[in-house]
Amino acid sequence: MEYHDFTEEKTDSQALSAFYRSFENERSPVKILLKIFQGNYGKLVLSVFFYLLQASPVIILPIVTADIINIATEPEQYSLTRLIVEAVIMALVILQNVFTTFLSSKYRSLAIRRVELGLRAAMTRKLQQLSLTFHKEMKSGKLQSKIMRDVENIEGLATNLSLNLVSVAYYLISAIIITLIRSRIVFFFFLLTVPIAVLIVAVFHRRLARQNADFRHQVENTSAQVIEMIDLVPITKAHALEDTALSRLNRQLFRQAGSGFALDKLNAIFGSVSWVAFHLFQLGCLTFTGVLAYHKLIPVGDIVLYQSYFSSIVGQVAAVIGLLPIISRGFESVRSVGDIMWAMDVEDNRNKEKITDVRGDYEFRNVTFEYHDDPHRVLNGLSLKIHAGETIALVGESGSGKSTVLNMIIGFYRPTTGQVLMDGKDMTAIDMHSYRSHLATVPQTSVLFAGTIRENITYGMDYVTEEQLQEAIRIANLKEVIEKLPNGLETSVGEHGDKLSGGQKQRIAIARAVIRDARVILFDEATSALDTVSEKLIQDSIEKLSKNRTTFIVAHRLSTIRNADKIAVIKDGICSEFGTYEELMAKKGEFYRFKTLQS
Ligand code: ADP
Ligand code: MG
């Protein structure tokens, strides 16, 4: 299906940056809500205009009804033609509703769906710009709920505000004006509803808000725990802990049910009290207007007129009261979306040198580093020089900082003090985005997306020839694997690549790295989770791949790094030994100790 109103040009970068600006320097959810609708106000105004027409029959019908009753009860005073004319006009007013309902919904939806789309597009784009640290700290489940649930709540808020507030204002104002014209006494009677509504809201508002917040909190906790439980299923099953996992979740389910029940009870009391109050009042109005008609102060038909308005006012006031929870939930969601939009942890590539060519020389000069939330020094004056085209193996105990060094080469982290130079340039002065297109990484566990093997290998490459692809498959030792699969390259991997073994996934990741033809390749424990046969295959690929490229390898099995040009031992935050395999073995130091421990 084609959706012409929602093409990508219409959500261009200009519109996206407008969404960013809506959140910039703005903390008030109401103002943000007004700002994110900028550019769509025309549609909202059109929608309101058509809504006024759409709803007009409900306002005009009581007048016509009253008139017809008055004409019927006073035949000597009015002619029958007048009755017919009123009926025909009324029919026309009713008929136009077909078109105006459609048009008002169409424009409202167009505005709201575009804001929804733009907000999600802006959020996901922002997520791509935020640093790894941000992503590590914010759970993916939370982010997902922000992008899906909170945007939906904002959409609900916008729909309700634009619909209900307009309609409430419309009914109230027209009822008041018409009543004022027809009978001033009844108008003052109507005014009495205001203090009654205020009184009821005042009694219940605080309690309702508190109970709503509590319930929302419980719903969020439940969904967090369900996701946690699902993630833990393999471990739970393996340890036969199903009952423990279930009882943990059950406690939360019971809490949510309890909170929901309390909310329902409160809503029920609130609903019945307001229903009874308003209906008693309506009965009072009926009696009052009945007495007025009895004394011929108003015509009989007007009793129906006032009753209609009164019940629509009561309905509207009830609707506004019912809106309270939706409004508070919606504004809460604006704040929740702000958690992403306000996050400052963004890489700044403005005014930095764009990199078109990477040779692959690196130098660490006296680098110290600590993670921002942790005063413990991970690197403590590390110096290291790597020449283009070399294969460097990083060796060290777990937690010694090897991954940290690789992440600095990727540019995810910056030295706290000291410098990292790439081709002689300070890494802090270069445009990371342009630089990283020359890198390829193979992490410990590779992430495949739901798609075919071909798509996974060529991920992010616009154009790849069949020869390049075959070459990548050859280097990654994937040929046999692919030949055995029912659809070859077109076989789709499971959502997380679960249909392939760890070794096969790693080789797909290697093929992905090969096809990028990167100048610098980083393997961070790419073989650590694999059996020796798979490791051998991958080791072989690494060797083919690392020719003429700067290659960093972190591996625990020393056999994997036997062929590296240089080995760097990372210990106590510095590079404690550096040299070829033979040199380090001869030195009989730290590396020698590792080696003898393993053999
Ligand atoms: P290696 O890869 O050699 O096992 P890492 O570079 O991953 O070691 O970690 C080095 C040290 O930094 C460890 O003590 C680890 O606990 C700490 N560390 C790693 N990542 C973070 C992080 N995101 N925040 C705080 N500390 C971290
Ligand atoms: Mg590591």
Side-chain angles (χ1 to χ4, degrees):
M1 280 212 219
E2 292 274 335
Y3 301 102
H4 296 291
D5 288 309
F6 295 92
T7 52
E8 288 196 25
E9 311 87 80
K10 291 190 180 173
T11 332
D12 54 7
S13 53
Q14 220 181 344
L16 285 185
S17 53
F19 279 101
Y20 284 118
R21 276 198 306 276
S22 316
F23 281 85
E24 246 171 41
N25 309 323
E26 192 55 81
R27 285 293 183 279
S28 143
V30 182
K31 283 188 194 155
I32 289 175
L33 191 69
L34 290 177
K35 278 193 183 176
I36 60 180
F37 271 90
Q38 256 166 26
N40 291 291
Y41 283 135
K43 294 188 196 70
L44 286 179
V45 168
L46 271 179
S47 152
V48 168
F49 171 74
F50 286 117
Y51 180 79
L52 297 184
L53 292 179
Q54 171 199 339
S56 61
V58 185
I59 286 161
I60 298 173
L61 194 57
I63 305 179
V64 174
T65 314
D67 279 355
I68 288 178
I69 293 173
N70 291 338
I71 293 168
T73 47
E74 308 274 352
E76 56 279 359
Q77 208 176 327
Y78 304 102
S79 74
L80 198 59
T81 333
R82 175 144 177 213
L83 193 151
I84 307 282
V85 168
E86 289 217 16
V88 169
I89 292 174
M90 191 61 224
L92 292 177
V93 172
I94 292 175
L95 276 175
Q96 57 81 36
N97 176 281
V98 176
F99 310 101
T100 48
T101 299
F102 171 75
L103 288 172
S104 114
S105 303
K106 178 187 149 176
Y107 284 111
R108 184 174 52 252
S109 167
L110 210 50
I112 288 174
R113 296 282 175 202
R114 285 197 53 185
V115 166
E116 188 188 10
L117 165 73
L119 205 49
R120 287 202 173 113
M123 287 167 86
T124 46
R125 176 168 297 214
K126 179 81 187 241
L127 283 181
Q128 289 288 356
Q129 295 168 344
L130 284 163
S131 73
L132 273 194
T133 320
F134 175 90
H135 282 279
K136 276 195 180 140
E137 279 161 14
M138 187 76 89
K139 292 215 176 85
S140 59
K142 263 191 179 176
L143 292 179
Q144 191 206 12
S145 120
K146 284 178 195 299
I147 292 173
M148 300 314 297
R149 224 199 79 165
D150 286 321
V151 172
E152 227 158 75
N153 288 346
I154 294 175
E155 184 214 319
L157 173 69
T159 309
N160 277 299
L161 284 186
S162 63
L163 254 189
N164 294 8
L165 285 193
V166 170
S167 81
V168 169
Y170 191 30
Y171 284 122
L172 274 182
I173 293 172
S174 42
I176 286 170
I177 291 176
I178 292 168
T179 315
L180 201 55
I181 293 172
R182 290 242 177 175
S183 159
R184 209 154 294 171
I185 313 173
V186 181
F187 167 74
F188 285 115
F189 197 86
F190 271 19
L191 279 189
L192 278 180
T193 54
V194 177
I196 292 189
V198 169
L199 186 73
I200 293 175
V201 169
V203 169
F204 283 94
H205 170 64
R206 183 91 40 91
R207 264 180 266 193
L208 269 174
R210 214 181 313 126
Q211 197 56 49
N212 265 301
D214 183 70
F215 183 65
R216 184 173 64 241
H217 196 64
Q218 299 300 345
V219 171
E220 279 168 5
N221 284 347
T222 304
S223 74
Q225 285 202 20
V226 168
I227 287 174
E228 196 180 271
M229 189 195 83
I230 293 171
D231 285 346
L232 275 176
V233 160
I235 293 169
T236 309
K237 277 196 177 304
H239 296 94
L241 291 174
E242 288 93 337
D243 289 340
T244 318
L246 284 177
S247 71
R248 242 171 76 85
L249 182 63
N250 268 346
R251 239 172 291 149
Q252 178 55 35
L253 290 180
F254 276 100
R255 261 199 296 270
Q256 180 179 333
S259 172
F261 184 55
L263 180 63
D264 291 343
K265 280 192 292 189
L266 192 60
N267 273 330
I269 297 173
F270 175 58
S272 56
V273 167
S274 32
W275 191 89
V276 167
F278 284 116
H279 279 81
L280 279 179
F281 205 68
Q282 194 173 350
L283 178 65
C285 174
L286 179 63
T287 317
F288 181 65
T289 48
V291 171
L292 291 183
Y294 186 84
H295 291 297
K296 302 258 182 246
L297 290 169
I298 59 171
V300 178
D302 283 19
I303 299 178
V304 180
L305 175 89
Y306 296 126
Q307 277 299 301
S308 307
Y309 286 144
F310 203 82
S311 62
S312 82
I313 289 177
V314 168
Q316 294 305 319
V317 171
V320 170
I321 291 172
L323 266 186
L324 287 179
I326 297 173
I327 290 177
S328 72
R329 193 174 66 199
F331 283 128
E332 188 58 39
S333 287
V334 174
R335 281 189 213 100
S336 170
V337 166
D339 285 347
I340 292 179
M341 301 303 285
W342 294 325
M344 300 300 284
D345 204 351
V346 180
E347 208 167 76
D348 189 4
N349 282 324
R350 279 174 301 182
N351 306 324
K352 294 205 175 158
E353 187 188 349
K354 286 231 188 320
I355 301 291
T356 50
D357 247 343
V358 167
R359 231 178 20 252
D361 285 316
Y362 287 91
E363 186 179 352
F364 282 67
R365 277 192 195 155
N366 238 327
V367 170
T368 69
F369 180 73
E370 53 215 45
Y371 285 95
H372 73 287
D373 50 351
D374 186 353
H376 156 75
R377 277 256 160 114
V378 177
L379 301 181
N380 202 357
L382 178 125
S383 294
L384 188 61
K385 222 170 172 165
I386 297 124
H387 299 292
E390 281 183 336
T391 298
I392 306 296
L394 298 175
V395 179
E397 281 171 19
S398 155
S400 59
K402 305 177 296 290
S403 299
T404 307
V405 169
L406 293 194
N407 283 331
M408 286 186 146
I409 288 167
I410 303 173
F412 285 155
Y413 299 121
R414 291 169 172 200
T416 309
T417 65
Q419 272 186 312
V420 180
L421 305 177
M422 192 282 300
D423 290 350
K425 297 172 190 131
D426 193 320
M427 293 260 296
T428 54
I430 64 182
D431 178 303
M432 280 299 149
H433 189 73
S434 63
Y435 159 68
R436 289 190 193 127
S437 64
H438 301 276
L439 301 188
T441 71
V442 182
Q444 180 161 4
T445 42
S446 293
V447 185
L448 303 184
F449 54 85
T452 64
I453 292 185
R454 179 196 294 275
E455 287 165 347
N456 266 286
I457 294 177
T458 59
Y459 178 55
M461 304 293 288
D462 292 335
Y463 184 74
V464 175
T465 65
E466 202 55 35
E467 288 88 71
Q468 284 173 305
L469 186 60
Q470 290 306 328
E471 172 73 359
I473 290 170
R474 189 184 64 77
I475 292 181
N477 287 323
L478 268 174
K479 213 170 177 62
E480 273 178 48
V481 180
I482 290 172
E483 273 163 7
K484 276 195 203 128
L485 290 169
N487 297 322
L489 267 175
E490 311 310 326
T491 309
S492 67
V493 299
E495 198 173 338
H496 297 292
D498 287 344
K499 291 179 193 161
L500 296 163
S501 78
Q504 290 166 343
K505 278 191 258 181
Q506 285 303 64
R507 279 180 274 160
I508 290 178
I510 289 179
R512 199 187 265 172
V514 176
I515 223 155
R516 287 172 65 82
D517 195 21
R519 290 297 310 149
V520 181
I521 305 186
L522 305 102
F523 295 91
D524 193 354
E525 310 206 19
T527 58
S528 295
L530 304 181
D531 56 285
T532 35
V533 179
S534 303
E535 188 192 9
K536 197 97 196 84
L537 284 168
I538 288 178
Q539 210 174 303
D540 178 62
S541 313
I542 293 178
E543 235 153 82
K544 285 188 231 161
L545 180 56
S546 61
K547 280 206 187 72
N548 299 321
R549 305 169 206 266
T550 309
T551 309
F552 293 89
I553 302 177
V554 172
H556 283 299
R557 293 197 196 111
L558 297 182
S559 56
T560 313
I561 57 175
R562 180 71 184 79
N563 296 315
D565 296 310
K566 296 276 175 56
I567 294 168
V569 178
I570 311 290
K571 189 169 191 268
D572 300 330
I574 58 161
C575 174
S576 63
E577 289 174 28
F578 186 64
T580 64
Y581 181 82
E582 286 74 23
E583 283 165 5
L584 293 195
M585 286 304 281
K587 201 174 170 190
K588 294 213 174 347
E590 192 72 20
F591 182 73
Y592 177 82
R593 206 169 59 79
F594 272 132
K595 174 71 188 158
T596 42
L597 270 180
Q598 274 197 15
S599 48

